[in-house]
Amino acid sequence: EMRKALDRGETQEAARTAHELAGLAATFGARRLADLLRELETTLETGEAEEARRLAEGGEALAGAVARSAREEIRRRGSTADA
């Protein structure tokens, strides 16, 4: 959603999405991702489009790493529960 909003030039929508995702990331303990998303939100609010795109790309990569880590932890806990 955020990438689509950025591509359409809808910076307010992208900032709102970044804000929501930062809250979710913080809830799940992904502090680095939450911090990056807060920075992205602020950057979008100040209208720095190129910096926002750079941060969004970093956020996507970090979100992927967080998702992989979460899946690994879920598998690990599942195999521990089965033992």
Side-chain angles (χ1 to χ4, degrees):
E1 288 295 314
M2 186 169 44
R3 173 63 74 177
K4 290 177 186 176
L6 279 172
D7 290 343
R8 291 189 305 264
E10 298 173 357
T11 56
Q12 287 183 338
E13 179 63 28
R16 194 170 19 262
T17 302
H19 178 82
E20 292 170 0
L21 291 173
L24 288 170
T27 297
F28 287 103
R31 282 180 244 126
R32 282 184 29 204
L33 180 58
D35 290 345
L36 186 144
L37 287 163
R38 284 189 205 100
E39 183 179 355
L40 175 57
E41 178 186 6
T42 300
T43 301
L44 286 163
E45 289 170 345
T46 59
E48 301 173 49
E50 276 308 306
E51 179 66 6
R53 287 190 185 285
R54 186 188 70 74
L55 288 169
E57 289 172 6
E60 288 173 353
L62 189 51
V66 168
R68 284 188 298 278
S69 179
R71 283 191 298 271
E72 184 178 302
E73 182 65 16
I74 289 167
R75 278 194 293 272
R76 186 186 68 75
R77 289 183 185 206
S79 66
T80 302
D82 294 338

